[in-house]
């Protein structure tokens, strides 16, 4: 009889359908051919699979931690394109370029295909059995606190397994590392609002003042914020929202602001207090504790400290007073200093003063299952890990989803300390810098082949459990899912507990189905519920919104005076997090490399952004190869003159400068992490990303910068191409 | 002078002819005999046995198999034809679905081969017989919807416009040229929009309909 | 004034002298031939490379989609107007001093058209599909786009080339008969026998010959004008700034005649030396050509000025920008060089002393050719680099060695064809030189008689 | 009576001219003046007066060819534009006049030139076989007169030639 | 006979576009891009790469100006001589404007680029001979030429990557011109479904890849003939008309409160893409 066995992966089988597959160079052959191509048909087809017709599967984007839901277009068993899943409140059917490049992470020719064991300088391919056995062997006799697991932000059932595994090993050393996370802001938010990441209602705000939060580009949940931004701009009945961005280096969000204010690096908090002072002057009544702090920040002083004109400050205060509700956001640029926590606290005060808390700053949804909620990454964890490695306390280190050898600041000497760990296991998609330093590399399934769940940190409306499911058959037989590996490792320790689960899929299915009543599937048949969950791609968790505690207090808020001139290293380095490359893990996806940086339009390289004034002073012109030297290191890169940066600052984008990772990443650009000094935020101990001072010297070489922008350099040459109007020239109400 | 006149008349004729005929489109392409090359298939699938007429006596054509065909509708196996751009080769499951119950031919070499593939769960590597260049977008669904469903043409006739008389073949062979001019020669003609209609339209003449 | 040609040359000597050019040129001939062959080889190699790898190796890009190929194409088309000028226009005007030199000018026409045609091919991204743009009844039922100026171009060039070849051939029939009658046995004799079509110089043949030659000449003049104005239409019919100019057609035609004349001077001097044609290609004739060139250079200068002025006083800001960019942008050195070569250098020709000074004329003619080539480049490139859309503006796009290789290769190809032609076919029209000598001696006899009568 | 050919070569055109005048005037029996062919290395306009009106019809070919070429061009192009794949381009009509006129013009010239040349070949009787008597001298510097006449007239004709200092006289062997 | 055909349908063959007396019949695809919503994030551009099999050329060829992005995001700076770009940048997504009177169409010698009945400028790759005249004549320079044989170029599509290619779109070989098609493969699929159901394509049923990706919904796309479609409403509200070359916004001195315009209308190309001006707050 025909088998009715339900093995989902069979359906995902790649189908060789001659005519439907694109033969390369399709335009060459003009004649009809007979018998040249082979048609492979299904052995057993699923009901819905018809050659020539696209099928859509829902899953979750793994390119960043925002947790957008995706829909993969699958034809003949191949995933062709990722689109947004409309049923997710986070991205509502939209997807950014980074997310769409997920297919390139999946089809990437540089993926690791089998477990590799270090043999001298080379990796030797071994079997999974051997690899897992080796781990078991190496762990024998090692004490729990000599073992550490380094991950990025982690959530869902992989997190559960991870936690259980560490528990089984008797280790408490889980380090969640994220090189560019807004960890100081989280801590400040926790203080000010009682939650790490409140829900920011851009759509409700009339004015948004962002202190360096690049929420349209790379901050927290850009796709979601972009959608809210669109609503905010449209406003209701033509009351268009106003965006003011205050930062030292223009981000994508800054480029879209109605007013972009260049501020002396590190003085964001001072300006926030200055605005409060101006609001006071404009007649807004302030709480006593706030007034006590802000009264010292009169316009004159603030203007002198921040470089923002008094007129600008008063205009901003007037605007904030006139249009409510407003929303003030503290972002990456404000938090990246020694006094980052204070900056963020001062900025949070603005929200309190303006009465935004509860209006545009809402409590996020609670995740009813804390064991799957996200463990966010931060930078202090890698410092802690580094310390324990340096002390020689660690024997075995697992690393998954992060690349600290590339992203840790040079001053940590992470790579050297890593050598002190006797056995390093890296779960890897690519042979990145960290994988190359490993003793054992475990090749992972791509995000489009793997099972999993995820709970995003930034939640909208309700909490949701995102389902990650394979969109197609595995490309390489030798890779395994993260969950599968963890499960196999757990079975080594707690065989009994996990013996019922053949693989991670069965574990996941039973874990979700077991809780179906709590997940809104009460009364449904297991298979139906599971099938619906998979087809939806996410489960909405029962809502229970927490409350905000507006306990931000101005007491104890001390902002240091602007940093002294440093004659040896006169410039502030602002490492820029770009929407495409983030911390560099996606550098081997060619669409992202070739997609021009929105602001400079540079492709396939790193660059040093300089204000034309600074450049003139140093005698630098565009394309000069300059040497940027900090106390911790130096790099050489092309200079780009940029009107969106404070003259005291230089900026280098992060993400490029890989020495490994793959054919499209290796040797492209320079690594700005290697310049960073080890300076931390006083309150949180987080690395202060913007606190590095540098000096710039010419090398005498010059190159043509490879960029999309032509010789006109972003000028419209008097033509009406991209037209701007001011709000009093247009009538927006009634627009479709 | 006589020579001159003759020549002039000849020339006028030549030019008039060229002028009016040159823009006339395509030279007719012979159809029935225009057989494509024979394609070696992993299994010599007998289309005549499956799709041919049931009673051999009904068919004047001696090529009809002695045992008679089974008159299986083309779209029983090529299920994609009415729903998708590609007609699709039936999955192995479909072959086996019937043949598992047909014991009379179970031991013939072809069926044995079929079951070898089935047991190995391997797809049969069929060779494409009607292979258009990759820049051509041919949509089976559109043509079947138009001719079979809207115009009520018999399925074998409608399929036969392009695939020839498949029911008389064992291993399918290409009968029509499938060249652009051949496609155009049909698209140029006016076809009734449905079985009852007097309204006619010709096929689309927009390049993008067929080229991608 | 010196005579254009000595009236006392015996007809038999004319035959002898010209036929000698088919047998024993100076050594320089072989040097030129080998050099041409080498250059052509280089060009061919570049084309093969480009064909294999793709047009990208030419360092073309968006927006610089055309580069030197089209510029050089126009140059060669322009060059082709020399033959028509000398043989058709001057023929109609009964300027009989053209007779010793029109044959090689016509050959220039033919060969430069063949060279120009190559550039159309070389510049195609899919050379192997060129037949898609040729109108012929085909199985697909498709026709090329007759609205495209490129198609007009193709049509015009085809007409011009075939007409020129016919014109050259028809005019050569009596000479071919001479060759047939006076050359040793061999393949060439067979060739001449076939090509001369059995010409015997009968009255009937001459009568029809004259009518036909005149008719074709009449057709060639409007044809030549249409060819280069259609080439101008490639640009003028587009709407790019700097191209969309009404004065382009006459400007192109003037430029064509100009570069044609300049090239005639160059080749005149070379042929005169290489084939020992001093008695036929005389200095007085050269002087006339030089003066003609000077006149046309002034026409060209005028049209250039008109074009700039028209742009300057128009409301088309984009066109003005392109003009400014030409004069001040990255292309400025080439643009000013063009002005210098095209408008200043020819002033030398106004000096009587230089009109017969062969080294000076040779140098001047080379500079004029360079100027005219630059002119074409300066039409093509600056508009691409500074079109309507500022985002795609780019500075200077230096053509890669592949482009240069093919440009030089084209000179090799032309010279190769031309030199082979001169070696195989009589490059001085024997029968017409005889006519010239005959008519001039008749006239001088008449003059003598008249003078005697007057005494 | 049997026809024979005779060819005389002259050093210069004056002699040949005089010979022809005499032949014309002599009215020799068995010799039709239209059977006289003058061969010369260059074209002599004077022969018109000499030989009387002999027709040249090339211009008719030219006219016909040009008209046919033009018509063919216009209809070919318009017909092609209006074929099954009629596609609008650039907002212009499918059959736009200006470009079609340009091409019609080119075809007009092409037709004119080609057919003229054809006409030339037809009218001049080319390609032709060599005439029975031919001397390579004609293509060098001598003028030839070829006459086809009755054998009976030969003597008289010959006499005329020798009277006018013919350099050489060739006769076809009698049949 | 074609001459009879020519004479019989003479008036039809003599019609130009765009004209009011012969409007589009069923479909006229058009777009509206709100520059105030566009943040310049490049999601549309990447979506276009994914949907349309666009090769990634690499640094060297990008430097040579041989990039292939059908949709490019342009970034302009205000030119008022300020020290900082304190009104931000101005982003403009630029792709083929699908002009009604497209200058590229008339000049193609092979007739490889035509105007479809749906009002889109088609590009037939396999008919293209590569004369590049269309690109030379395009004022927007949005046509991209295959300077190399990208499918066989190193690291453009290694074997694994070829599996991502969209089978509905040809992979272009060297020597072919290409450009934005308004995702014709999606339009064709939607029209196919609609015809099966005996109706016209509904608004929103067909999305272009860029529109689908755009996080701020800055791009809308649809059928201008259908007055109920979003894009038709937007055009109508902005009083932008397909066959006019001066729109309401620019028709009067000082302009109106509208913000719909098309780029370089003075060239009379009648583009199918309407842009809505970016807006900047005057109070700050």
């Amino acid at each position: 009889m025909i088998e009715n066995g339900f093995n989902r992966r069979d359906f995902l089988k790649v189908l060789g359908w001659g005519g439907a597959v694109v033969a390369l160079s399709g335009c060459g052959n003009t004649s009809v051919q007979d018998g040249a191509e082979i048609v492979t048909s299904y052995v057993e087809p699923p009901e819905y699979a018809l050659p020539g017709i696209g099928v859509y599967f829902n899953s979750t984007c793994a390119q960043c931690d925002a947790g957008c839901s995706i829909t993969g277009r699958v034809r003949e068993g191949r995933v062709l394109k990722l689109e947004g899943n409309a049923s997710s409140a986070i991205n509502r059917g939209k997807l950014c370029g980074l997310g769409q490049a997920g297919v390139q992470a999946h089809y990437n020719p540089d993926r690791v295909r089998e477990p590799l064991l270090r043999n001298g300088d080379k990796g030797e391919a071994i079997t999974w059995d051997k690899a897992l056995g080796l781990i078991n062997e190496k762990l024998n006799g090692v004490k729990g606190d000599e073992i550490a697991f380094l991950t990025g932000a982690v959530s869902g059932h992989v997190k559960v397994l991870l936690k259980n595994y560490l528990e089984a090993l008797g280790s408490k050393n889980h380090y969640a590392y994220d090189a560019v996370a807004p960890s100081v802001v989280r801590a400040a938010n926790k203080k000010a609002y009682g939650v790490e990441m409140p829900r920011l209602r851009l759509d409700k705000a009339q004015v948004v003042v962002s202190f360096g939060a690049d929420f349209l580009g790379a901050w927290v949940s850009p796709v979601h914020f972009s959608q809210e931004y669109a609503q905010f701009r449209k406003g209701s009945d033509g009351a268009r929202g106003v965006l003011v961005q205050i930062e030292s280096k223009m981000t994508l969000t800054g480029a879209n602001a109605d007013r972009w204010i260049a501020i002396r690096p590190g003085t964001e908090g001072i300006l926030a207090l200055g605005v409060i002072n101006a609001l006071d002057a404009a007649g807004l009544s302030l709480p006593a504790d706030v007034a006590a702090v802000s009264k010292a920040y009169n316009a004159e002083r603030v203007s002198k400290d921040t470089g923002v004109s008094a007129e600008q400050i008063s205009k901003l205060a007037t605007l904030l007073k006139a249009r409510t509700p407003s929303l003030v956001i503290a972002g990456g640029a404000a938090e990246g200093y020694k006094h980052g926590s204070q900056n963020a606290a001062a900025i949070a005060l603005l929200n309190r003063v303006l009465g935004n808390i509860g209006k545009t700053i809402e409590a996020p949804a609670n995740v009813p299952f804390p064991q799957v909620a996200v463990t966010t990454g931060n930078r202090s964890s890698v410092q802690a890990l580094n310390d324990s490695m340096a002390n020689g306390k660690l024997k075995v280190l697992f690393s998954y989803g992060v690349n600290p050898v590339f992203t840790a600041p040079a001053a940590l000497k992470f790579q050297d300390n890593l050598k002190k760990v006797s056995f390093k296991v890296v779960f890897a998609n690519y042979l990145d810098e960290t994988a190359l330093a490993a003793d054992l590399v475990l090749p992972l399934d791509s995000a489009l082949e793997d099972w999993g769940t995820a709970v995003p940190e930034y939640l909208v409306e309700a909490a949701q459990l995102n389902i990650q499911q394979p969109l197609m058959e595995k490309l390489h037989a030798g890779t395994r899912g993260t969950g599968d590996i963890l499960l196999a490792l757990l079975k080594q320790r707690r065989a009994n507990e996990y013996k019922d689960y053949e693989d991670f899929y069965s574990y996941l299915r039973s874990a979700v189905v077991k809780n179906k009543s709590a997940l809104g599937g009460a009364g449904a048949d297991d298979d139906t519920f599971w099938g619906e969950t998979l087809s939806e791609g996410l489960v909405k968790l029962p809502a229970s919104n927490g409350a905000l505690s507006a306990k931000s207090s101005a007491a104890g808020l001390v902002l240091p005076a602007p940093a002294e001139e440093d004659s040896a290293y006169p410039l502030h380095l602002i490492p820029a997090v770009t929407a495409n490359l983030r911390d560099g893990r996606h550098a081997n996806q060619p669409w992202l490399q070739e997609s021009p940086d929105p602001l400079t339009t540079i492709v396939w390289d790193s660059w040093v952004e300089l204000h034309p004034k600074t450049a003139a002073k140093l005698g630098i012109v565009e394309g000069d190869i300059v040497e940027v030297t900090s106390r911790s290191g130096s790099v050489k890169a092309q200079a780009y003159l940029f009107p969106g940066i404070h003259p005291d600052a230089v900026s280098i984008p992060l993400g490029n400068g890989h020495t490994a990772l793959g054919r499209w990443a290796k040797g492209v650009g320079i690594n700005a992490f290697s310049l960073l000094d080890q300076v931390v935020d006083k309150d949180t101990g987080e690395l202060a990303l913007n606190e590095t001072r540098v000096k710039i010297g010419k090398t005498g070489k010059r190159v043509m910068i490879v960029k999309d922008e032509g010789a006109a350099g972003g000028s419209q040459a008097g033509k009406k191409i991209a037209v701007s109007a001011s709000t009093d020239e247009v009538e927006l109400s009634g627009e479709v | 002078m006589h020579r001159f006149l003759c020549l002039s008349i000849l020339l006028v004729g030549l030019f008039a002819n060229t002028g009016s005929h040159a823009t006339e489109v395509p030279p007719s392409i012979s159809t029935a005999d225009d057989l494509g090359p024979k394609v070696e298939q992993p299994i010599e699938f007998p289309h005549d046995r499956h799709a041919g007429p049931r009673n051999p006596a009904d068919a004047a054509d001696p090529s009809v198999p002695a045992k008679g065909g089974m008159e299986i509708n083309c779209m029983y196996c090529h299920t994609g034809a009415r729903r998708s751009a590609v007609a699709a080769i039936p999955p192995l499951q479909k072959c086996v679905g019937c043949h598992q119950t047909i014991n009379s031919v179970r031991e013939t070499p072809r069926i044995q081969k079929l079951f070898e593939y089935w047991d190995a769960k391997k797809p049969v590597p069929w060779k494409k017989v009607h292979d258009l260049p990759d820049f051509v977008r041919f949509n089976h669904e559109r043509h079947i919807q138009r001719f079979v469903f809207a115009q009520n043409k018999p399925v074998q006739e409608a399929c036969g416009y392009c695939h020839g008389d498949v029911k008389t073949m064992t291993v399918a062979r290409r009968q029509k040229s499938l060249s652009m001019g051949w496609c155009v020669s049909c698209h140029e003609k006016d076809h009734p929009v449905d079985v009852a209609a007097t309204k006619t339209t010709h096929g689309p003449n927009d390049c993008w309909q067929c080229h991608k | 004034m010196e005579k254009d040609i000595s009236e006392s040359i015996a007809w038999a000597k004319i035959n002898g002298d010209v036929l000698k050019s088919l047998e024993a040129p100076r050594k320089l001939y072989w040097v030129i031939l080998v050099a041409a062959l080498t250059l052509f080889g280089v060009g061919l190699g570049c084309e093969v490379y480009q064909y294999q790898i793709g047009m990208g190796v030419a360092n073309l890009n968006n927006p610089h989609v055309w580069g030197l190929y089209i510029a050089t194409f126009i140059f060669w088309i322009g060059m082709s107007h020399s033959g028509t000028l000398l043989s058709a226009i001057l023929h109609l005007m009964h300027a009989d001093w053209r007779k010793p030199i029109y044959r090689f000018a016509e050959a220039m026409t033919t060969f430069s058209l063949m060279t120009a045609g190559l550039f159309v091919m070389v510049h195609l991204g899919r050379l192997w599909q060129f037949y898609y743009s040729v109108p012929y009844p085909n199985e697909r039922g498709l026709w090329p786009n007759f609205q495209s100026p490129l198609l007009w171009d193709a049509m015009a060039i085809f007409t011009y080339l075939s007409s020129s070849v016919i014109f050259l051939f028809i005019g050569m029939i009596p000479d071919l008969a001479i060759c047939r009658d006076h050359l040793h046995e061999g393949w060439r004799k067979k060739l001449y026998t076939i090509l001369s079509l059995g010409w015997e110089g009968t009255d009937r043949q001459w009568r029809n010959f004259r009518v036909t030659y005149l008719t074709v000449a009449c057709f060639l003049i409007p044809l030549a004008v249409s060819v280069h104005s259609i080439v101008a239409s490639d640009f003028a019919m587009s709407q790019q700034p700097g191209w969309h100019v009404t004065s382009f057609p006459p400007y192109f035609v003037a430029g064509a005649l100009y570069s044609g004349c300049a090239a005639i001077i160059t080749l005149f001097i070379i042929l005169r030396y290489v084939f020992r044609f001093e008695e036929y290609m005389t200095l007085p004739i050269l002087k006339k050509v030089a003066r003609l060139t000077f006149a046309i250079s002034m026409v060209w200068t005028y049209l250039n000025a008109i074009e700039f002025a028209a742009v300057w006083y128009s409301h088309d800001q984009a066109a003005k920008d392109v003009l400014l960019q030409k004069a001040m942008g990255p292309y400025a050195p080439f643009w000013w060089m063009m002005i210098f070569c095209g408008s200043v250098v020819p002033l030398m020709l106004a000096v009587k002393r230089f009109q017969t000074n062969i080294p000076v004329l040779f140098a001047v003619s080379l500079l004029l050719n360079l100027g005219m080539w630059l002119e074409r480049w300066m039409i093509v490139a600056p508009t691409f680099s500074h079109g309507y859309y500022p985002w795609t503006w780019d500075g200077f796009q230096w053509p890669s060695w592949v482009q240069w290789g093919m440009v030089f290769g084209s000179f090799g190809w032309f010279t190769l064809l031309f030199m082979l032609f001169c070696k195989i076919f009589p490059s001085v029209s024997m029968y017409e030189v005889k006519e010239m000598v005959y008519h001039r001696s008749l006239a001088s006899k008449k003059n003598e008689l008249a003078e005697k009568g007057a005494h | 009576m049997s026809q024979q050919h005779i060819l005389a070569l002259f050093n210069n055109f004056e002699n040949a001219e005089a010979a022809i005048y005499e032949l014309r005037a002599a009215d020799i029996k068995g010799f039709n003046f239209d059977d006289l062919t003058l061969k010369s290395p260059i074209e002599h306009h004077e022969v018109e007066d000499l030989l009387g009106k002999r027709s040249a019809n090339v211009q008719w070919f030219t006219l016909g060819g040009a008209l046919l070429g033009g018509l063919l061009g216009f209809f070919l192009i318009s017909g092609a534009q209006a074929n099954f794949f009629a596609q609008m381009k650039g907002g212009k009509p499918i059959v736009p006049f200006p470009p079609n006129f340009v091409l019609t013009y080119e075809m007009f010239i092409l037709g004119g030139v080609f057919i003229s040349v054809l006409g030339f070949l037809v009218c001049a009787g080319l390609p032709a076989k060599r005439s029975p008597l031919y001397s390579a001298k004609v293509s060098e510097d001598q003028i030839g007169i070829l006459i086809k006449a009755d054998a009976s007239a030969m003597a008289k004709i010959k006499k005329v030639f020798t009277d006018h200092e013919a350099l050489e006289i060739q006769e076809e062997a009698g049949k | 006979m074609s001459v009879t055909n020519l004479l019989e349908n003479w008036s039809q063959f003599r019609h130009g576009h765009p004209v009011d007396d012969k409007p589009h019949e069923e479909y006229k695809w058009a777009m509206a891009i709100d520059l105030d919503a566009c943040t310049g994030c490049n999601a549309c551009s990447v979506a276009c790469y994914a949907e349309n099999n666009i090769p990634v050329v690499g640094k060297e060829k990008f430097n040579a100006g041989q990039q292939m992005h059908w949709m490019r995001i342009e970034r302009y700076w205000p030119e008022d001589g300020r020290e900082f770009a304190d009104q931000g940048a101005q982003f403009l997504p630029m792709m083929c404007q699908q002009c009604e009177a497209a200058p590229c169409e008339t000049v193609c010698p092979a007739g490889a680029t035509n105007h479809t009945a749906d009002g889109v400028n088609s590009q037939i790759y396999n008919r293209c001979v590569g004369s590049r005249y269309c690109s030379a004549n395009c004022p927007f320079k949005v046509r991209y030429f295959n300077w190399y044989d990208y499918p066989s170029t190193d690291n453009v599509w290694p074997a694994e990557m070829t599996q991502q290619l969209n089978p509905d779109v040809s992979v272009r070989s060297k020597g072919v011109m290409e450009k934005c098609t308004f995702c014709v493969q999606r339009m064709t699929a939607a029209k196919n479904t609609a015809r099966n159901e005996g109706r016209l394509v509904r608004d929103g049923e067909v999305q272009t890849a860029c529109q689908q990706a755009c996080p701020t919904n800055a791009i809308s796309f649809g059928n201008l003939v259908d007055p109920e479609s979003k894009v038709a409403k937007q055009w109508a509200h902005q009083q932008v008309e397909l066959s006019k070359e001066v729109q309401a916004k620019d028709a009067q001195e000082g302009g109106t409160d509208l913000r719909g315009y098309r780029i370089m209308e003075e060239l009379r190309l009648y583009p199918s893409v309407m842009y809505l001006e970016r807006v900047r707050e005057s109070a700050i």
Side-chain angles (χ1 to χ4, degrees), chain A residues 20 22 75 80 100 113 227 240 255 258-260 594 596 599 605 613 709 715 720-721 724-725 727 735, chain E residues 36 42 47 58-59 75 79 83 86 89 160 164 167-168 171 215 217 250 259 261 278-281 284:
Chain A
V22 183
R75 251 187 72 174
L80 302 179
Q100 297 183 62
R113 299 169 192 217
Q227 292 183 319
R240 178 177 174 279
D258 293 280
R259 180 64 63 193
W260 181 80
E594 188 139 316
L599 291 170
D605 212 339
K613 237 163 77 179
E709 162 187 70
S715 153
K720 276 172 65 177
I721 290 174
S724 267
T727 38
E735 278 198 359
Chain E
D36 198 34
N42 259 328
K59 185 176 181 181
R75 187 270 295 117
E79 291 159 80
E83 185 184 3
D86 62 355
E160 289 91 341
Q164 184 272 327
D168 295 335
V171 174
N217 287 317
D250 299 318
R259 52 191 193 111
Y261 71 102
R278 181 187 76 154
V279 183
R280 282 297 172 259
E281 179 60 49
I284 177 88

Side-chain angles (χ1 to χ4, degrees), chain C residues 11-13 15 135 140-148 151-152 155-160 162-163 166 170 173-174 177-178 180-182 193 196-212 215-216 219-220 222-223 226-227 230 237 430-432 434-435 438-439 442 445, chain D residues 13-14 36-48 51 54-59 62 66 76-77 80-81 83 85 89 92-94 96 99-100 102-103 105-110 112-114 116-117 120-131 134-136 138-141 143:
Chain C
W11 289 9
K13 180 171 157 34
N15 272 12
R140 297 174 291 277
L142 288 179
W143 291 87
N145 174 18
F146 293 105
Q147 287 192 41
S148 167
L151 210 77
W152 313 346
M155 195 71 193
I157 291 170
F158 173 73
T159 307
Y160 194 27
S162 55
S163 303
I166 283 175
I170 296 284
I173 290 178
I178 298 176
R180 173 196 66 199
D181 292 346
H182 296 277
T193 310
S196 58
L197 300 175
W199 177 272
E200 291 183 355
T202 66
D203 54 307
R204 179 181 170 198
Q205 286 169 344
W206 277 120
R207 194 166 58 238
N208 284 296
F209 179 83
R210 192 186 67 221
V211 179
T212 311
T215 312
V216 178
F219 271 117
L220 268 185
L223 178 59
S226 83
V227 169
I230 283 175
M237 291 276 172
M430 291 178 270
Y431 75 97
E432 288 194 87
K434 287 176 194 167
E435 278 177 17
Y438 177 71
H439 290 299
L442 275 188
K445 254 182 225 161
Chain D
F13 190 66
E14 286 85 0
L36 180 146
T37 308
L38 178 77
K39 297 182 180 184
S40 63
I42 64 170
E43 195 205 345
H44 291 278
H45 299 286
E46 304 90 324
V47 293
E48 293 261 323
L51 300 178
R54 288 185 180 180
S55 65
N57 287 318
V58 179
Q59 59 271 37
T62 308
L76 176 86
I77 290 155
Q81 281 162 337
N83 79 352
F85 290 97
K89 287 178 182 73
K92 305 281 189 295
I94 286 167
N100 293 12
V102 171
L103 290 167
Y105 181 74
E106 294 300 324
M107 288 291 280
F108 167 84
I109 291 178
L110 191 67
V113 171
F114 273 47
S116 296
V117 170
F120 163 64
L121 296 181
V122 171
C123 295
L126 293 173
K129 281 190 188 149
R130 295 287 185 86
S131 42
Y134 179 72
S135 166
V138 172
S139 65
E140 195 172 325
D141 54 359
I143 313 288

